Amino acid sequence: MKPCLSVLFLFLIINVQAQEMGLPYHQIPDYPSEYTSGNIVSRLVDGLGFRYYWATDGLTPSDLDYKPSEEARTVMETLQHIHSMSETILNAPSATPNVQPKDFGHYSFDELRKKTLENLQAASKLYSAMQDDDFENSKVIFQRGDKKSDFPFWNMLNGMLSDCIYHTGQIVLMRRANGNPKNPNVSVFLGKIRE
């Protein structure tokens, strides 16, 4: 390789790595010093963010188009679904309605990934500041036109939070089936990359 091309290639690699390092959840944050209901929910969101970060790290255009069957969602459609739920996770503490339907098809993969990770990070910060009584006012609200449906926070736990973890696992499986497994050094138990 010519010196000029070598320098350009090195610059591109460093630039991509610098962008990756700017995203939240490359590593799970340190755990809080005490157990509170807000900290526990925050840690669930952090666990999701860490899993999502590594499930989506290094996805190729071929991975994004992959789907296991004709009726299934593609990886990109699954990412759009997770993003939609990340907005709901972020909106619940303030009982902000989730206006539907929404189309996330205009986002590139990089934009979608970044926005989803940022939503999860912002939600985690909100939850960590919540006291037990705050969860009574936290609601999952869906709005379609004039019709509004609201649910208690309990539905967030078995709904969006669990569903996002479930779909993140699907991405891991689909990328592996497409020949691009996630980094084998990711330790979800430790919340970091094994050395």
Side-chain angles (χ1 to χ4, degrees), residues 44 85 152-164 166:
L44 284 170
M85 290 188 289
F153 186 78
W154 293 113
N155 292 78
M156 174 64 68
L157 296 173
N158 60 277
M160 288 75 195
L161 277 171
S162 297
D163 208 24
C164 282
Y166 173 85

Side-chain angles (χ1 to χ4, degrees), residues 74-88:
T74 64
V75 169
M76 186 62 171
E77 289 166 338
T78 304
L79 293 172
Q80 291 166 351
H81 181 53
I82 293 171
H83 177 71
S84 174
M85 290 188 289
S86 79
E87 288 191 345
T88 305

Side-chain angles (χ1 to χ4, degrees), residues 93-164:
S94 61
T96 301
N98 298 282
V99 179
Q100 298 179 332
K102 278 194 175 178
D103 177 19
F104 301 108
H106 59 283
Y107 289 137
S108 70
F109 162 67
D110 290 332
E111 291 171 322
L112 196 66
R113 182 175 186 238
K114 182 177 189 285
K115 287 178 181 295
T116 301
L117 288 166
E118 288 173 348
N119 281 350
L120 296 174
Q121 182 181 47
S124 174
K125 286 180 183 172
L126 290 173
Y127 289 121
S128 69
M130 291 175 70
Q131 302 300 313
D132 291 351
D133 294 345
D134 295 331
F135 285 94
E136 291 296 323
N137 298 319
S138 178
K139 300 222 179 288
V140 179
I141 303 173
F142 299 107
Q143 184 171 346
R144 219 178 254 276
D146 292 336
K147 187 177 179 189
K148 230 185 234 190
S149 306
D150 69 312
F151 301 89
F153 186 78
W154 293 113
N155 292 78
M156 174 64 68
L157 296 173
N158 60 277
M160 288 75 195
L161 277 171
S162 297
D163 208 24
C164 282

Side-chain angles (χ1 to χ4, degrees), residues 9-24:
F9 184 73
L10 183 61
F11 173 78
L12 289 174
I13 289 173
I14 291 170
N15 190 33
V16 167
Q17 288 175 340
Q19 288 175 0
E20 287 289 319
M21 295 306 283
L23 293 175

Side-chain angles (χ1 to χ4, degrees), residues 3-44:
C4 187
L5 288 176
S6 296
V7 171
L8 178 61
F9 184 73
L10 183 61
F11 173 78
L12 289 174
I13 289 173
I14 291 170
N15 190 33
V16 167
Q17 288 175 340
Q19 288 175 0
E20 287 289 319
M21 295 306 283
L23 293 175
Y25 295 116
H26 178 266
Q27 182 170 309
I28 200 166
D30 291 336
Y31 54 81
S33 59
E34 61 183 6
Y35 290 92
T36 66
S37 51
N39 283 344
I40 291 169
V41 174
S42 173
R43 191 67 171 181
L44 284 170

